[in-house]
Amino acid sequence: MKRLSKANLLLEAAQTLPQPFSWEDLVVRAWEKHSEAFGLKGYRALYPDSNRVSATLYGALGLLGRGLIERHGLQRFRVVPTHMAEVRKVV
């Protein structure tokens, strides 16, 4: 199985949410689907780590900066529709 980057894992988790989605929904869904990547250090199976999601979402190299996810209001986001099909191909 091909190992996916955290960005791909987060994008895949985001596309499973009703669009648009809240920040909290994204943090929880990313952790539910990929606790090894988005779980709190030392407690990966028990608690999500919002800092890990934040690091993957924000910044020039994050999903927002690369235009794969866009803001849709205050603390609300959505996967850019043209990337929904791309995510399905990768996963």
Side-chain angles (χ1 to χ4, degrees), residues 4 10 12 15-16 26 30 38 42 56 61 70 74 84 86:
L4 300 176
L10 186 60
E12 184 270 330
Q15 70 95 27
T16 67
L26 180 60
F38 298 107
T56 308
L61 299 177
E70 63 187 11
L74 185 60
M84 292 291 278
E86 291 176 27

Side-chain angles (χ1 to χ4, degrees), residues 10-91:
L10 186 60
L11 191 58
E12 184 270 330
Q15 70 95 27
T16 67
L17 291 167
Q19 306 291 311
F21 50 86
S22 70
W23 165 251
E24 294 83 3
D25 288 340
L26 180 60
V27 170
V28 171
R29 182 60 57 90
W31 171 71
E32 286 174 343
K33 295 188 74 54
H34 307 290
S35 61
E36 71 287 349
F38 298 107
L40 190 62
K41 185 177 178 180
Y43 301 93
R44 292 201 197 283
L46 298 174
Y47 303 107
D49 186 343
S50 62
N51 289 330
R52 290 175 185 264
V53 174
S54 181
T56 308
L57 184 63
Y58 294 105
L61 299 177
L63 294 175
L64 281 170
R66 292 173 18 204
L68 301 172
I69 289 181
E70 63 187 11
R71 290 183 185 276
H72 196 75
L74 185 60
Q75 292 294 314
R76 295 192 62 76
F77 307 91
R78 73 179 186 128
V79 176
V80 174
T82 56
H83 297 295
M84 292 291 278
E86 291 176 27
V87 172
R88 291 186 188 107
K89 288 179 192 173
V90 172
V91 176

